[in-house]
Amino acid sequence: MDYSKVFNAAIDRLHEEGRYRVFIDILRNKGAFPNARCFAGHNGPKPITVWCSNDYLGMGQHPKVIAAMEEALHDVGAGSGGTRNIGGNTHYHVDLEHELADLHGKESALLFTSGYISNEATLSTLGKILPGCVIFSDELNHASMIAGIRNSGCEKQVWRHNDLEHLEELLKAEDPATPKLIAFESVYSMDADVAPITEICDLADKYNAITYCDEVHAVGMYGPRGGGITDRDAVAERVTIIEGTLGKAFGVMGGYIAADKVIVDVIRSYAPGFIFTTSLSPVLVSGVLASVRHLKQSSEERDAQHAAAAFLKKSFADAGLPVMPSVTHIVPLMIGDPIKAKRISDTLLAEYGVYVQPINFPTVPRGTERLRFTPGPNHTEAMMTELTAALCEIWERLDLRKAA
Ligand SMILES: *Cc1c(COP(=O)(O)O)cnc(C)c1O
């Protein structure tokens, strides 16, 4: 076996398809988000504006978050020093789990080192604990949910995206005695749409299923206290398990689930992805605590984000750019071709100091490659108007199609 030939061929395939991933090397400027410096090449760092960050509300640079992290670092040092079971269960972790349980109106919550791991660990463990469980998974569910479902070893039924009739058809076809779990997201971050959560819970009741909702792209941003779409729509109580990240709108790092005490206890006691890993640094947890507490009582950031998203959607639509319909804070432009998407992204960065990453397969299906903009409270109307003008110039130059 010529190993290097196989590895090189694997990389060559990505180049041929135009979806070889190039990471842009940046530093964000604290206190001046979305301004950053880009290290792509020649003459030292170049100033750019970030348009694709998942630090949706700029909380990663919020003075309260920074102060809380500095204080924790000063008080208790850098790391937690262990797993939760062996020395790494700091008081910050305990406090944050209470705070998150309260955010979602649940009895308990459990922290993980990332949202990815919270999905993988929870779904794989649930599926192993429930004998003969069938998992019903929305076709657009995130890779981390898919990994968890696969690792559970359960039978999986995939329902067409947000299609309640299809979900019911699949639920109905199962034996009523079979344990069933319905897994879905609230906000789908690539398509910018929202799941019909109330109706999914109605079906879960009708067919005696439990529900698992990934609120990663909603926590912090929706609902009067930032509890996500389930908070906004007052359905949190009906969803069995709510999962979220601490790395996107909360601006730091980590993941979690919130649910009944006994379910959280099962995951805490059985999930390898929770048990066999060093707990999050108390410095990170302290920052998250400040962020969650702030966003529970402040809607200023949420309101400004929704206003910015509405402005950018309108600006793109008025200019005839192919903005995808969005009922969320996410503003995707459909390109439909990986090479064109990369070309536009490269031109924006090189000539306009605009950073937006092209989104390719397997994050989205082939032929639906797109640019995904995430305007937030710190993107000004002037920045958005300039961005629209830059895109229009590029559209003309590359002879791209506009909406009719
Ligand atoms: C980003 C993401 C995750 C993973 O969260 P991390 O904290 O970044 O690991 C999970 N689910 C969805 C839908 C995501 O987009």
Side-chain angles (χ1 to χ4, degrees):
M1 164 63 74
D2 183 345
Y3 293 99
S4 75
K5 197 172 157 193
V6 175
F7 293 139
N8 281 308
I11 296 298
D12 288 346
R13 283 199 297 278
L14 298 176
H15 282 296
E16 277 157 29
E17 284 183 40
R19 60 182 186 92
Y20 179 74
R21 293 182 170 199
V22 180
F23 299 159
I24 305 299
D25 180 354
I26 67 169
L27 283 177
R28 302 200 292 155
N29 303 339
K30 187 180 77 159
F33 188 68
N35 296 303
R37 286 157 282 165
C38 177
F39 293 81
H42 359 287
N43 314 319
K46 168 187 156 174
I48 57 164
T49 312
V50 181
W51 287 95
C52 56
S53 176
N54 282 336
D55 184 357
Y56 290 121
L57 301 176
M59 291 306 290
Q61 303 192 344
H62 195 284
K64 285 187 189 171
V65 175
I66 308 285
M69 293 180 77
E70 282 174 344
E71 199 180 312
L73 181 63
H74 181 76
D75 285 354
V76 301
S80 78
T83 63
R84 287 294 290 278
N85 188 44
I86 309 177
N89 183 47
T90 79
H91 194 60
Y92 293 101
H93 292 76
V94 176
D95 273 354
L96 180 56
E97 285 174 348
H98 285 135
E99 201 67 60
L100 293 168
D102 171 76
L103 177 65
H104 296 291
K106 299 289 184 196
E107 288 174 353
S108 292
L110 193 68
L111 283 173
F112 298 82
T113 43
S114 75
Y116 186 103
I117 295 180
S118 64
N119 274 333
E120 195 286 326
T122 305
L123 286 167
S124 64
T125 302
L126 283 174
K128 286 187 182 127
I129 293 283
L130 293 165
C133 182
V134 176
I135 300 183
F136 299 80
S137 176
D138 186 288
E139 68 176 335
L140 293 190
N141 276 343
H142 189 258
S144 54
M145 296 169 86
I146 296 169
I149 294 167
R150 184 177 305 127
N151 295 343
S152 75
C154 288
E155 182 187 333
K156 169 167 93 165
Q157 295 283 359
V158 177
W159 44 295
R160 283 191 296 271
H161 177 54
N162 279 349
D163 184 336
L164 292 163
E165 274 175 38
H166 191 212
L167 173 59
E168 177 154 26
E169 200 180 294
L170 295 174
L171 286 165
K172 202 187 277 179
E174 287 300 329
D175 187 325
T178 298
K180 301 175 187 72
L181 186 156
I182 306 172
F184 58 99
E185 299 179 23
S186 60
V187 169
Y188 287 85
S189 86
M190 294 300 156
D191 287 53
D193 57 354
V194 172
I197 303 179
T198 303
E199 291 79 2
I200 292 172
C201 291
D202 290 342
L203 287 176
D205 288 348
K206 187 168 168 191
Y207 294 96
N208 196 23
I210 60 173
T211 47
Y212 184 98
C213 180
D214 174 321
E215 285 251 56
V216 161
H217 291 280
V219 289
M221 295 174 280
Y222 295 84
R225 296 198 312 156
I229 300 289
T230 53
D231 181 19
R232 185 193 73 182
D233 296 353
V235 288
E237 196 202 353
R238 298 189 64 197
V239 176
T240 317
I241 298 160
I242 293 173
E243 182 271 345
T245 184
L246 306 169
K248 292 177 184 172
F250 290 126
V252 188
M253 189 178 180
Y256 68 93
I257 57 164
D260 286 358
K261 219 184 207 156
V262 65
I263 293 179
V264 168
D265 207 15
V266 162
I267 304 305
R268 184 184 76 89
S269 308
Y270 283 94
F274 172 78
I275 298 171
F276 298 105
T277 190
T278 301
S279 65
L280 281 170
S281 158
V283 178
L284 298 174
V285 179
S286 177
V288 175
L289 262 171
S291 183
V292 172
R293 284 176 179 157
H294 177 78
L295 289 176
K296 268 184 182 174
Q297 45 81 30
S298 167
S299 286
E300 192 185 317
E301 294 80 6
R302 284 188 276 282
D303 294 344
Q305 180 200 34
H306 295 307
F311 186 92
L312 190 62
K313 285 182 221 174
K314 183 168 183 330
S315 176
F316 282 179
D318 289 350
L321 294 165
V323 59
M324 293 167 65
S326 164
V327 292
T328 69
H329 58 282
I330 296 155
V331 186
L333 273 190
M334 178 59 78
I335 310 299
D337 178 278
I339 293 163
K340 279 185 193 154
K342 174 138 180 25
R343 187 103 178 265
I344 300 166
S345 164
D346 287 348
T347 310
L348 281 169
L349 188 63
E351 297 182 27
Y352 299 90
V354 164
Y355 174 35
V356 64
Q357 193 70 32
I359 311 284
N360 292 337
F361 177 81
T363 307
V364 296
R366 289 179 210 274
T368 70
E369 290 79 8
R370 62 200 71 173
L371 300 173
R372 175 182 173 277
F373 296 85
T374 54
N378 300 310
H379 293 88
T380 63
E381 292 190 358
M383 285 174 178
M384 294 190 269
T385 304
E386 257 176 56
L387 170 66
T388 306
L391 284 164
C392 287
E393 280 174 32
I394 294 172
W395 244 248
E396 196 144 311
R397 194 175 343 153
L398 301 182
D399 205 15
L400 297 168
R401 251 188 309 148
K402 283 205 173 179

